[in-house]
């Protein structure tokens, strides 16, 4: 296991310990890890709770987490490393590399059924994939919408997409209409899985092999991948669901997945660039240090500094922002793989301006603040755990402690 070095600092992080422990004690979370960096140095790292609630084994520092959509940042970095090499332009049409996306249809404005479609007036471009503005969908976030009903009828299931590989998924996606004209709106989607397929097409390598060679091995991310080998299964955290999906602060958890027979017990066919990775705090910390250090860490360069700066620039059309039916994210736009805090609410700290971030459905969140020069990383295994109060409270405390 890679040891995480925590430096001495003037910051008093005791309130983080008190508040995160309260989520464990009240039965809202089964486990939690928190990490705070100033610059590229770790100033606080803590673990709370248990590997499992049944046997109450304490949470290990080398525990393996389901990262879900934190995978998207890794995939975006992988694709942008090929951009560094001149392999594509951000405005290149997707069909240049995946021809099946050449003749695409789009739902008409105000569509009432799957029949209300027309030919798209413009192609999907690569920067639109990286910013979730291409017009694709996921099929589950807004199940009553016309587009998600089309996806479900076509056999596209983001929560159980295991029967096909990236190429087959892209073929199926290209046969569906877009939710809107490319570049005209924002919708969370399979776009990052299409980015993973682009990595395969452009590099000529399977997605997992490319990640291993270009990111995981150089950054010494030994426990990051798409499945958990049997020898590491004792480090794999149990995941739990709340007894009430609509009340994130109601105590009570039920086990959501069997470790030995679950989807991570063997290598999957579907190497999801949008949500397939497992990792550890130490591994993902190496990745985060690379990002906040301008694309290099431990003498290894993954991205050019100017490419990372480009990834932190808004790619959405004017007046378009990030929004979910169930979560409010005001003042947030999207770059090339990162959500970007473009404007602040009256209760938000000044240091959060220009923050870039994303997280995973089971409650793994990473965010970087160039304004305050801090990075936060908090993790749990709660489904759903995205945009949960524990991560908001952790973030608020980090800004308060380091201001």
């Amino acid at each position: 296991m890679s040891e995480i070095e925590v430096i001495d600092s003037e910051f008093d992080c005791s309130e983080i310990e008190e508040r995160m422990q309260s989520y464990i004690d009240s039965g809202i979370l089964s486990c939690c890890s928190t990490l705070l960096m100033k610059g590229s140095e770790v100033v606080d790292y803590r673990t709370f709770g248990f590997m499992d609630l049944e046997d109450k084994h304490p949470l290990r520092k080398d525990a393996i987490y389901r990262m879900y959509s934190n995978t998207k940042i890794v995939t975006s970095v992988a694709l942008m490393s090929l951009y560094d090499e001149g392999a594509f332009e951000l405005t290149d049409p997707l069909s240049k590399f995946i021809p099946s996306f050449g003749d695409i249809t789009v739902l008409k404005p105000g569509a009432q059924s799957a029949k209300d479609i027309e030919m798209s007036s413009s192609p999907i471009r690569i920067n639109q994939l990286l910013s979730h503005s291409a017009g694709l969908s996921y099929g589950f976030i807004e199940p009553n919408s016309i587009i998600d009903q089309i996806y479900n009828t076509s056999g596209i299931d983001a929560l159980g997409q295991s029967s096909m590989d990236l190429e087959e998924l892209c073929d199926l996606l290209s046969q569906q209409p877009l939710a809107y004209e490319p570049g005209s709106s924002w919708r969370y989607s399979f776009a990052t899985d299409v980015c993973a397929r682009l990595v395969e097409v452009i590099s000529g390598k399977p997605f997992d092999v490319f990640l291993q060679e270009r990111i995981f091995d150089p950054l010494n991310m030994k426990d990051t991948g798409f499945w958990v080998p049997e020898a590491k299964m004792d480090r794999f955290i149990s995941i739990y669901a709340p007894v009430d999906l609509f009340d994130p602060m109601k105590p009570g958890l039920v086990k959501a997945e069997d470790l030995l027979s679950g989807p991570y017990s063997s290598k999957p066919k579907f190497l999801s660039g949008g949500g397939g990775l497992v990792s550890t705090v130490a591994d993902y910390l190496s990745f985060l240090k690379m990002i906040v250090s301008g694309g290099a860490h431990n003498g290894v360069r993954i991205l050019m500094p100017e490419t990372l700066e480009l990834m932190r620039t808004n790619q959405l059309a004017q007046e378009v922002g990030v929004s979910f039916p169930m979560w409010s994210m005001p003042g947030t736009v999207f770059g090339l793989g990162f959500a970007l805090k473009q404007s602040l609410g009256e209760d938000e700290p000044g240091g959060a301006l220009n923050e870039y971030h994303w997280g995973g459905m089971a409650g793994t969140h990473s965010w970087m603040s160039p304004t305050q020069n801090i990075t936060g990383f908090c993790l749990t295994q709660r489904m759903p755990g995205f945009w949960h109060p524990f991560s908001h409270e952790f973030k608020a405390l980090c800004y308060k402690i380091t201001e």
Side-chain angles (χ1 to χ4, degrees):
M1 179 186 75
S2 300
E3 288 292 331
I4 295 176
E5 181 182 357
V6 180
I7 66 166
D8 292 331
S9 75
E10 74 273 24
F11 305 122
D12 180 3
C13 297
S14 58
E15 194 173 357
I16 292 177
E17 179 171 18
E18 176 187 336
R19 292 303 305 141
M20 295 301 106
Q21 185 62 48
S22 73
Y23 284 92
I24 307 297
D25 295 341
S26 59
I28 296 170
L29 301 179
S30 64
C31 68
C32 179
S33 289
T34 60
L35 185 144
L36 173 62
M37 281 199 291
K38 183 72 172 177
S40 60
E41 301 286 347
V42 178
V43 296
D44 191 65
Y45 171 44
R46 300 168 191 265
T47 59
F48 310 87
F50 310 99
M51 296 292 295
D52 60 279
L53 292 177
E54 290 72 31
D55 296 322
K56 294 290 183 76
H57 293 129
L59 181 62
R60 298 173 56 145
K61 288 188 178 294
D62 63 351
I64 297 173
Y65 295 78
R66 301 157 190 79
M67 299 303 288
Y68 287 106
S69 286
N70 276 89
T71 303
K72 288 181 169 68
I73 304 179
V74 177
T75 301
S76 301
V77 165
L79 183 56
M80 292 303 290
S81 71
L82 292 169
Y83 172 82
D84 267 350
E85 297 173 359
F88 65 89
E89 295 295 331
L90 289 171
T91 54
D92 279 345
L94 173 59
S95 58
K96 177 179 179 180
F97 302 97
I98 307 179
S100 62
F101 282 97
D103 295 314
I104 49 176
T105 60
V106 61
L107 289 177
K108 295 179 180 178
Q112 298 298 306
S113 76
K115 297 180 181 179
D116 294 336
I117 60 174
E118 58 190 4
M119 296 304 297
S120 175
S121 62
S122 60
I124 295 174
R125 302 189 187 278
I126 294 178
N127 66 319
Q128 295 164 347
L129 287 173
L130 285 158
S131 58
H132 293 284
S133 60
L136 301 175
S137 191
Y138 246 148
F140 76 96
I141 291 176
E142 200 174 358
N144 293 325
S145 65
I146 299 298
I147 190 65
D148 283 2
Q149 290 176 12
I150 292 172
Y151 273 45
N152 293 331
T153 301
S154 303
I156 302 173
D157 177 11
L159 299 179
Q161 198 68 43
S162 59
S163 62
M164 60 185 75
D165 59 22
L166 289 168
E167 181 179 9
E168 292 167 331
L169 173 67
C170 287
D171 285 344
L172 191 54
L173 287 173
S174 69
Q175 297 168 26
Q176 315 311 317
L178 300 178
Y180 50 78
E181 286 287 350
S184 66
S185 189
W186 187 91
R187 191 178 186 91
Y188 206 40
S189 69
F190 274 111
T192 318
D193 292 294
V194 180
C195 289
R197 178 57 186 159
L198 272 175
V199 169
E200 292 188 328
V201 171
I202 294 171
S203 71
K205 296 181 178 181
F207 185 51
D208 58 338
V209 173
F210 185 90
L211 292 183
Q212 197 68 46
E213 292 178 355
R214 299 289 291 270
I215 298 177
F216 301 157
D217 284 346
L219 293 178
N220 198 30
M221 298 170 68
K222 296 180 178 179
D223 294 317
T224 302
F226 289 96
W227 61 294
V228 182
E230 185 177 356
K232 298 181 180 180
M233 193 59 74
D234 62 329
R235 295 164 50 200
F236 194 31
I237 307 170
S238 292
I239 189 168
Y240 295 87
V243 293
D244 187 344
L245 289 173
F246 300 101
D247 185 354
M249 293 299 288
K250 184 175 182 177
L253 298 165
V254 292
K255 201 166 189 176
E257 177 185 291
D258 182 84
L259 297 182
L260 296 179
S261 63
Y264 296 94
S265 59
S266 60
K267 182 179 178 178
K269 181 179 182 181
F270 182 51
L271 302 173
S272 174
L277 290 177
V278 297
S279 192
T280 62
V281 175
D283 275 14
Y284 209 79
L285 174 62
S286 293
F287 181 72
L288 293 175
K289 284 189 173 185
M290 176 274 295
I291 291 174
V292 300
S293 300
H297 177 54
N298 280 348
V300 177
R301 178 158 296 283
I302 304 297
L303 285 178
M304 298 301 293
E306 53 268 30
T307 300
L308 265 173
E309 186 174 346
L310 182 62
M311 293 175 72
R312 298 194 295 265
T313 59
N314 182 29
Q315 301 294 310
L316 305 185
Q318 192 171 3
E319 306 301 326
V320 173
V322 175
S323 63
F324 288 91
M326 67 292 280
W327 298 301
S328 175
M329 300 179 73
T332 302
V333 292
F334 221 90
L336 301 169
F338 297 112
L340 312 170
K341 192 64 175 175
Q342 191 177 57
S343 62
L344 300 176
E346 60 181 51
D347 296 329
E348 294 180 292
L353 189 64
N354 299 319
E355 175 190 284
Y356 54 107
H357 65 92
W358 204 240
M361 185 177 288
T364 54
H365 296 267
S366 56
W367 48 268
M368 290 70 79
S369 166
T371 303
Q372 202 152 317
N373 194 27
I374 60 172
T375 297
F377 188 29
C378 61
L379 310 87
T380 189
Q381 293 287 264
R382 182 189 194 274
M383 181 64 89
F386 181 75
W387 224 238
H388 188 275
F390 97 94
S391 62
H392 297 312
E393 187 165 9
F394 168 68
K395 181 186 289 190
L397 287 171
C398 289
Y399 278 115
K400 173 186 170 184
I401 290 164
T402 59
E403 66 182 356

